[in-house]
Amino acid sequence: QVQLVESGGGLVQAGGPLRLSCAASGRTFSSSNMGWFRQAPGKEREFVAAISWSGGRTYYLESVNGRFTVSIDNSKNTAYLQMVSLKPEDTAVYYCAVSSRAWSARTYAYAYDYWGQGTQVTVSS
């Protein structure tokens, strides 16, 4: 059984940084993609970023491009989402997820087979 354990959320002032981690276990992920999504109160879950397990490909939601960086440490089976210049509108529960589908489906929540429990990120103004 695949497990994804997230950590690193919290309260931060606008303009500050946070780094989220997602530790994966339970199988090999060499042909998978890792995605980050977020869900704010009263809103639908939205795609934030994706990375191929090899780390060779990344993709971002336009509004976070240049502020968020997704990376992966294959030796630790852990993915990271480094966030800088945070804005109040970034406030949400952030989820990591693993997909075994093609890279072309990277932005679709339905394409992800396993999800973490979510970690709250709150950005104060």
Side-chain angles (χ1 to χ4, degrees):
Q1 182 71 11
V2 173
Q3 282 193 316
L4 301 176
V5 179
E6 299 158 6
S7 60
L11 173 64
V12 63
Q13 287 189 330
L18 271 180
R19 188 179 80 157
L20 306 182
S21 300
C22 177
S25 62
R27 52 163 276 194
T28 57
F29 299 95
S30 58
S31 59
S32 302
N33 302 312
M34 174 71 77
W36 289 93
F37 289 76
R38 66 187 180 187
Q39 188 165 20
K43 295 188 177 181
E44 293 187 354
R45 190 169 299 190
E46 71 172 347
F47 167 81
V48 175
I51 186 168
S52 58
W53 200 261
S54 67
R57 292 191 281 191
T58 58
Y59 187 76
Y60 298 92
L61 175 70
E62 184 175 354
S63 63
V64 308
N65 197 19
R67 298 188 297 121
F68 291 12
T69 303
V70 62
S71 62
I72 202 157
D73 185 337
N74 300 117
S75 67
K76 297 180 180 179
N77 269 5
T78 300
Y80 304 95
L81 184 67
Q82 177 69 52
M83 307 182 290
V84 300
S85 302
L86 281 162
K87 304 175 181 180
E89 51 263 43
D90 294 318
T91 295
V93 177
Y94 283 70
Y95 300 88
C96 64
V98 171
S99 171
S100 57
R101 300 199 189 188
W103 180 247
S104 58
R106 60 192 178 276
T107 65
Y108 300 104
Y110 73 77
Y112 290 80
D113 309 298
Y114 303 99
W115 292 81
Q117 80 283 3
T119 186
Q120 177 70 46
V121 171
T122 303
V123 184
S124 64
S125 57

